Amino acid sequence: MSEVLSSTIARIQPLDAEAVAAAETAQAGLVKPAGSLGVLEALSAQLAGIARACPPPVPAKPAVGVFAGDHGVLAQGVTPWPSDITFVMCNVFQAGGAAINVLSRAAGASVTVVDMGVAGPYAEGTGPGAELVSKKVRPATSDLAKGAAMSRDEAIQALEAGIAVADQLVDGGADLLVTGDMGIGNTTPSAALIAALTGTAADVVTGRGTGIDDETLALKTGIVASAVERIAEGADAIDVLAEVGGFEHAGIAGFVLGGAARGVPVVLDGVIAGSAALVAQGIAPTAIDYCVAGHRSAEPGHRIALEKLALRPLLELDLRLGEGTGAVLATPIVQASARILNEMATLESVMAGGQ
């Protein structure tokens, strides 16, 4: 394991138990029946544990990292969409016209697009809608139907790229990291990662992605099953990532590790983020304590991933676009949970005639 990855893992600390307990006590004293704000109460305690303070600060500068990459498995016909769409959509992100741009503007979040392995030449720079940075490992992974998607060294390089992006955004003032993704065909490696890291059968975790027909779904499921069977017994999470993952999955996993190491909460998007978080969990289990599941996507594997991660999604809107859309939609809920502890009156103050 590299020095960057090792030092990042070493900096990930358990949540502050005293701050969590203080938040739970504070919630019980607010002017409401105990437990009546449901998931918001648990989320506020988690944020307190992350911030190591009660009440926790309200996240004021959310930042979306959209990790993009292409996939060699497209050669197998797992989707009717061409790989060129990945490149085109990254340009749309930069120009500000995609769904993630619209929703990020509504949430007051910045957007950074990270080229992890897009089969197209990008010039780094800031556009009207997003900053684009290059962390390209190479243009697209290898075909996971035929062999390893990437080498272990490439997987580590991509993980470190995600850590670097998290550091860059936090250094720039971000206090809430939001995961996004772009990559035509990336639900195939996502299904393979989930199957491998949860021990679930391929036909349970493999979904229709962009809306494939029954024949293509059967092909995709067979590819996932065969790829997972190749993974050696005793392989660690990085080995699994290298065998069947994508560069954007590695980037997101590193983003999660980097956010946790910096003590910043990370809102996860859909199935691609869920599969990447499983990789992060395999590398550093405590990192998941810093994660919030923004939503549960329509992809069947996402439910399996969230169960393994022990995360409850804040939203369930049948979303399957990716880009970070579900996660950024959940961002105001994360902010609201912190506001409750900061701004809500206590029962004691009300009974005493205060505000």
Side-chain angles (χ1 to χ4, degrees), residues 78-152:
V78 293
T79 174
W81 293 89
S83 64
D84 293 354
I85 299 296
T86 305
F87 178 82
V88 169
M89 283 306 302
C90 287
N91 284 325
V92 177
F93 297 149
Q94 196 173 24
I100 188 59
N101 300 110
V102 175
L103 298 177
S104 292
R105 287 193 289 269
S110 66
V111 179
T112 300
V113 181
V114 187
D115 174 10
M116 296 296 301
V118 179
Y122 283 113
E124 292 186 281
T126 302
E131 179 183 7
L132 195 149
V133 299
S134 176
K135 299 290 185 181
K136 194 191 295 286
V137 179
R138 58 179 159 93
T141 54
S142 302
D143 185 350
L144 65 83
K146 296 183 175 181
M150 66 188 86
S151 69
R152 185 180 173 92

Side-chain angles (χ1 to χ4, degrees), residues 191-202 204-205 228 278 304 308:
L193 287 170
I194 294 168
L197 293 169
T198 67
T200 307
V204 176
V205 301
V228 171
L278 289 173
I304 304 298
K308 177 71 172 179

Side-chain angles (χ1 to χ4, degrees), residues 12 28 60 91 109 158 163 212 217 228 232 237 241-242 248 298 311 313 352:
I12 300 173
N91 284 325
I163 293 169
I212 56 177
L217 177 60
V228 171
L241 171 65
E248 70 267 47
L311 295 177

